[in-house]
Amino acid sequence: MDIKIRNVPNHVVARLDFYAKKKEISREQYLRNELETIAISAEMRATEDRYENLIKKLLEIVEHNNEVLEKNNYLMEEFMEGIDSYDPENV
């Protein structure tokens, strides 16, 4: 597929040529590589956003689980204290 970009300022073309020459490739190849990078980076940002949302949800679940475990530990300690202080002869 062909893409044409018109009216690119001379100083921009000169910079593109500079970077292409630095990599020892043509301006066309340099621009093709840069366009591919742009396309991939958009996908990467979307993936990073999904990953960040997943991490946030997982963190919420872990925090909730910690709260439940703390409550269970408290209840178990209360239960164990009740058993330890139970005297069947005083019933």
Side-chain angles (χ1 to χ4, degrees):
M1 173 178 249
D2 291 339
I3 297 175
K4 291 184 181 183
I5 302 174
R6 302 182 198 286
N7 302 317
V8 178
N10 289 339
H11 71 279
V12 173
V13 173
R15 293 305 289 175
L16 293 171
D17 288 342
F18 170 79
Y19 290 124
K21 185 176 182 181
K22 193 173 176 180
K23 292 188 175 197
E24 299 178 353
I25 57 177
S26 68
R27 180 194 315 153
E28 181 181 342
Q29 184 61 49
Y30 177 78
L31 288 171
R32 193 178 299 118
N33 294 347
E34 291 299 305
L35 287 172
E36 187 173 346
T37 299
I38 290 168
I40 290 171
S41 67
E43 292 174 19
M44 289 299 295
R45 277 193 300 274
T47 301
E48 287 174 1
D49 289 344
R50 287 192 304 272
Y51 181 72
E52 184 178 337
N53 288 335
L54 178 61
I55 295 297
K56 286 179 183 177
K57 288 179 183 177
L58 288 173
L59 182 58
E60 290 173 7
I61 291 169
V62 167
E63 288 173 350
H64 175 73
N65 286 346
N66 283 339
E67 290 174 10
V68 169
L69 285 172
E70 287 175 9
K71 288 177 185 175
N72 284 344
N73 285 342
Y74 173 77
L75 292 172
M76 286 300 292
E77 287 174 8
E78 290 291 315
F79 179 73
M80 293 305 289
E81 286 176 12
I83 288 176
D84 289 342
S85 63
Y86 176 70
D87 184 3
E89 293 179 8
N90 289 333
V91 177

